């Protein structure tokens, strides 16, 4: 049922009313699961209770409880309050069940501890309108609520939320004009790690046929490591790492417990390795059940051979974090040495057995030999970018090919215009380019004082067109990757398909096994 300003769609749980905006119909804050509080706290998501009448879907649902950092990026400062965190939002050209348009489902990033689908930077109107398709964005539990490995609760509850949202899409999206048989999941950073996880999860099989992973993070935790980290988090509140103990703390106060561990993580270097030098104590857990194996091993074994994949990264991934940490232009040779020994490649998933270890020294020697003219700052940036995002992304594509699937590889090389281009093509730049949200969230920083421009709009359009074409046809406009020619789409002022542009780094890492990081000691 439609009118000049509103449209009503009936989902399996009840009717929802959306608004017409800029040639689309938009539905916000539709619950796909029960609020995960009370006796549902730390449980797998439960089906939403049906409602009578028509529910207004005009406002985004409240964000999941999360830490206070990077609020300018995640846009949660003025978000609504409440326990209904598990909601979806839909942008559709026309909620006509006969339309059967392709569907894209966005999973936000934020180090598995930050994020909200209602952030202005994730306004999907340009993707839906330019691509003539349906876009869904979703919330999932974060931090301790979603990812801490605690007794009495399933692992990876945030990933299970994503599966529940994809099940909602399968059951309901036709009523919004979408085709449940043509679903593409796409995400950036922790969202890309989530996409990689979904490719490996039996419970997600068949819920999507295409996937796009933008800057896949390398850290995935073994069960032992995750339990040790959870014990350290709970100890900050004088509690045990159990669902019973942690349920005694309000979800919005529990975020402070996880946040309190952040400044102390380096104290655990001898047990957690490189994780102690990262920005987050949360990652997907290879628990053997929800996530049976790490994505690289799962894809190489064929878990996603029937899913078409795009995977890639930005050229200067780590420069954003260096800028946020006030490190640009300050890196000493001693700091570069510590980073090379912590993050340099070893022979297995240890990747960061700690400064001074044998494998760490090997990593330092390898990088210094491969880049003899690099400055300390360049080495520092390069090893962080390679270890945390670039090589995990490339190796995911190679694993997909090894398992009999198809993958397309890209790199974003166009530099962010703010600060005279000092940030380069940094982590997260692909978000405002893809969504066209240059004046929201991270776009405010990366386009500060510059804003949109004809050049930015052109790169943005190419990015968005490739993604929507892939969701529609499976062809993003450049050849699939292979391990001989290594064709890679490089997005820049003058975009081109070239052999993979970081051959030196690729060779440094070609014998490293990405996988679940172990508990050391």
């Amino acid at each position: 049922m439609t009118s000049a300003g509103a449209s009503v769609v009936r989902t399996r749980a009840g009717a929802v009313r959306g608004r017409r905006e800029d040639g689309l119909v938009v539905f916000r804050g539709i619950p796909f699961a029960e609020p995960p509080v009370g006796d549902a706290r730390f449980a797998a998501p439960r089906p939403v209770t049906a409602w009578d009448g028509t529910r207004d879907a005009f406002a985004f649902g409240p964000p999941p409880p999360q830490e206070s950092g990077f609020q300018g990026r995640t846009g949660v400062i003025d978000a609504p309050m409440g326990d209904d965190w598990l909601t979806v939002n839909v942008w559709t050209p026309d909620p006509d069940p006969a339309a059967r348009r392709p569907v894209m489902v966005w999973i936000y990033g934020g180090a598995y501890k930050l994020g909200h689908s209602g952030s202005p930077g994730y306004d999907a109107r340009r993707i839906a309108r330019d691509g003539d398709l349906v876009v869904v964005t979703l919330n999932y539990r974060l931090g301790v609520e979603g990812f801490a490995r605690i007794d009495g609760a399933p692992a990876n509850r945030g990933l299970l939320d994503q599966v529940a949202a994809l099940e909602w899409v399968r059951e309901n999206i036709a009523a919004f004009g979408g085709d449940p048989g043509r679903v593409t999941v796409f995400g950036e950073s922790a969202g890309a790690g989530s996409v990689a996880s979904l490719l490996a999860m039996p419970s997600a099989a068949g819920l999507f046929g295409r996937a796009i992973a933008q800057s896949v993070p390398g850290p995935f935790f073994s069960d032992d490591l995750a339990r040790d980290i959870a014990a350290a988090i709970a100890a900050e509140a004088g509690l045990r790492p159990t669902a019973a103990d942690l349920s005694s703390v309000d979800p919005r106060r529990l975020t402070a417990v996880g946040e309190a561990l952040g400044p102390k993580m380096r104290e655990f270097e001898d047990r957690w390795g490189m994780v102690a030098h990262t920005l987050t104590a949360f990652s997907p857990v290879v628990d053997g059940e929800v996530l049976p194996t790490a994505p690289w091993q799962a894809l190489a074994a064929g878990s996603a051979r029937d899913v078409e994949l795009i995977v890639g990264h930005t050229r200067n991934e780590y420069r954003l974090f260096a800028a946020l940490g006030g490190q640009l232009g300050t890196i000493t040779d001693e700091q570069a040495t510590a980073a090379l020994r912590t993050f340099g490649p070893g022979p297995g998933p240890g990747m960061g057995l700690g400064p001074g270890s044998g494998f760490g020294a090997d990593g330092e020697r390898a990088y210094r030999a491969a880049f003899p003219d690099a400055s300390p700052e360049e080495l520092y940036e390069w090893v962080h970018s390679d270890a945390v995002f670039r090589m995990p992304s490339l190796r995911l594509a190679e694993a997909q090919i090894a398992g009999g699937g198809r993958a397309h590889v890209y790199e974003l090389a166009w530099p962010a215009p703010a600060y005279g281009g000092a940030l380069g093509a940094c982590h997260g730049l692909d978000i405002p380019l893809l969504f066209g949200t240059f004046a929201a969230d991270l776009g405010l920083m990366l386009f500060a004082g510059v804003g949109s421009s004809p050049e930015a709009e052109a790169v943005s359009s190419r990015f968005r067109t490739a993604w929507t074409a892939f969701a529609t046809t499976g062809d993003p406009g450049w050849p699939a990757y292979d391990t001989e020619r290594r064709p890679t789409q490089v997005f820049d002022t003058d975009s081109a398909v070239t052999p993979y542009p970081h051959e030196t780094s690729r060779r440094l890492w070609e014998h490293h096994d990405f996988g679940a990081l172990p508990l050391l000691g």
Side-chain angles (χ1 to χ4, degrees):
M1 181 175 64
T2 63
S3 66
S7 182
V8 174
V9 167
R10 178 163 293 280
T11 72
R12 296 214 175 170
V16 291
R17 181 182 292 107
R19 283 178 171 158
R20 294 193 171 274
E21 302 174 9
D22 298 329
L24 301 168
V25 184
V26 184
F27 300 80
R28 297 180 173 91
I30 305 172
F32 66 83
E34 282 292 284
V37 295
D39 63 0
R41 183 96 178 268
F42 299 117
R46 300 177 179 179
V48 66
T49 301
W51 59 85
D52 296 325
T54 300
R55 179 177 182 141
D56 286 339
F58 299 157
F60 292 112
Q66 56 195 270
E67 297 182 14
S68 59
F70 300 119
Q71 285 191 336
R73 177 182 178 185
T74 60
V76 301
I77 297 173
D78 298 320
M81 298 296 291
D83 296 331
D84 227 345
W85 316 323
L86 302 184
T87 58
V88 295
N89 319 293
V90 182
W91 286 257
T92 178
D94 183 17
D96 177 2
R100 310 290 284 190
R101 287 179 168 87
V103 180
M104 298 186 72
V105 180
W106 171 253
I107 303 175
Y108 53 73
Y112 305 103
K113 62 182 183 179
L114 303 165
H116 177 217
S117 64
S119 296
Y122 304 145
D123 186 326
R125 71 184 68 190
R126 293 188 71 174
I127 299 175
R129 190 169 55 227
D130 293 0
D132 190 35
L133 41 70
V134 178
V135 181
V136 177
T137 65
L138 61 94
N139 282 353
Y140 60 97
R141 280 174 282 182
L142 301 163
V144 177
E145 299 292 326
F147 289 94
R149 185 67 171 109
I150 57 179
D151 290 336
N156 301 305
R157 296 170 299 280
L159 298 179
L160 293 175
D161 293 343
Q162 296 166 18
V163 171
L166 287 167
E167 291 172 339
W168 182 93
V169 169
R170 180 184 59 191
E171 296 168 358
N172 294 284
I173 205 63
F176 294 84
D179 183 349
R182 282 196 295 170
V183 174
T184 300
V185 292
F186 66 129
E188 183 267 349
S189 195
S194 297
V195 169
S197 299
L198 292 168
L199 291 167
M201 290 171 60
S203 61
L207 294 176
F208 54 93
R210 295 177 180 132
I212 304 172
Q214 303 168 210
S215 301
V216 179
F220 275 64
F221 295 166
S222 66
D223 203 55
D224 287 343
L225 174 60
R227 289 182 182 278
D228 201 65
I229 293 172
I233 292 171
E236 290 294 322
L239 301 172
R240 297 171 301 167
T242 67
D245 271 25
L246 294 173
S247 291
S248 67
V249 183
D250 183 273
R252 292 169 188 81
R253 290 177 48 222
L254 190 59
T255 60
V257 177
E259 193 166 6
L261 180 66
K264 305 176 184 178
M265 285 176 60
R266 293 201 177 190
E267 299 173 11
F268 297 87
E269 180 184 51
D270 60 334
R271 298 174 63 77
W272 302 351
M274 62 92 73
V275 175
H277 293 265
T278 66
L279 297 174
T280 182
F282 304 102
S283 282
V285 181
V286 181
D287 66 307
E289 184 176 350
V290 175
L291 185 58
T293 57
W296 299 271
Q297 288 72 44
L299 268 62
S303 69
R305 66 167 57 98
D306 296 327
V307 178
E308 296 167 323
L309 175 65
I310 291 176
V311 63
H313 52 72
T314 69
R315 177 158 293 181
N316 309 106
E317 288 278 3
Y318 196 73
R319 212 172 286 182
L320 172 70
F321 304 104
L324 291 171
Q327 294 177 309
L328 288 181
T330 71
I331 300 301
T332 65
D333 195 60
E334 290 76 17
Q335 288 173 306
T337 295
L340 292 169
R341 293 189 173 200
T342 300
F343 291 93
M351 193 216 324
L353 298 180
S357 72
F359 296 150
D362 286 346
E364 180 197 358
R365 284 192 292 268
Y367 262 84
R368 289 192 183 277
F371 302 102
D373 299 323
S375 68
E377 183 152 16
E378 288 170 332
L379 289 169
Y380 185 88
E381 177 195 328
W382 226 241
V383 73
H384 276 97
S385 293
D386 281 345
V388 183
F389 295 111
R390 294 196 309 199
M391 294 304 107
S393 298
L394 178 66
R395 293 292 291 277
L396 192 73
E398 293 177 345
Q400 174 72 339
I401 295 165
R406 181 163 66 99
H408 298 262
V409 173
Y410 76 91
E411 178 181 71
L412 173 60
W414 186 79
Y419 314 110
L423 295 176
C426 65
H427 187 74
L429 176 61
D430 44 329
I431 297 174
L433 288 174
L434 176 59
F435 285 85
T437 49
F438 303 107
D441 298 349
L442 193 57
L444 287 170
M445 175 183 179
L446 302 183
F447 293 82
V450 180
S452 179
S453 67
E455 184 177 301
E457 289 288 356
V459 176
S460 175
S461 179
R462 283 196 292 273
F463 223 93
R464 198 160 45 250
T465 297
W467 267 221
T468 58
F470 177 73
T472 302
T473 68
D475 181 3
W478 72 91
Y481 193 80
D482 67 74
T483 54
E484 293 183 3
R485 297 174 301 137
R486 305 188 186 279
T488 303
Q489 174 67 60
V490 178
F491 290 98
D492 205 338
T493 304
D494 297 312
S495 297
V497 178
T498 72
Y500 183 70
H502 304 292
E503 179 65 8
T504 302
S505 291
R506 187 193 70 77
R507 287 186 176 275
L508 284 173
W509 289 86
E510 65 181 338
H511 298 301
H512 177 83
D513 294 325
F514 285 96
L517 295 172
L519 178 66
L520 307 178

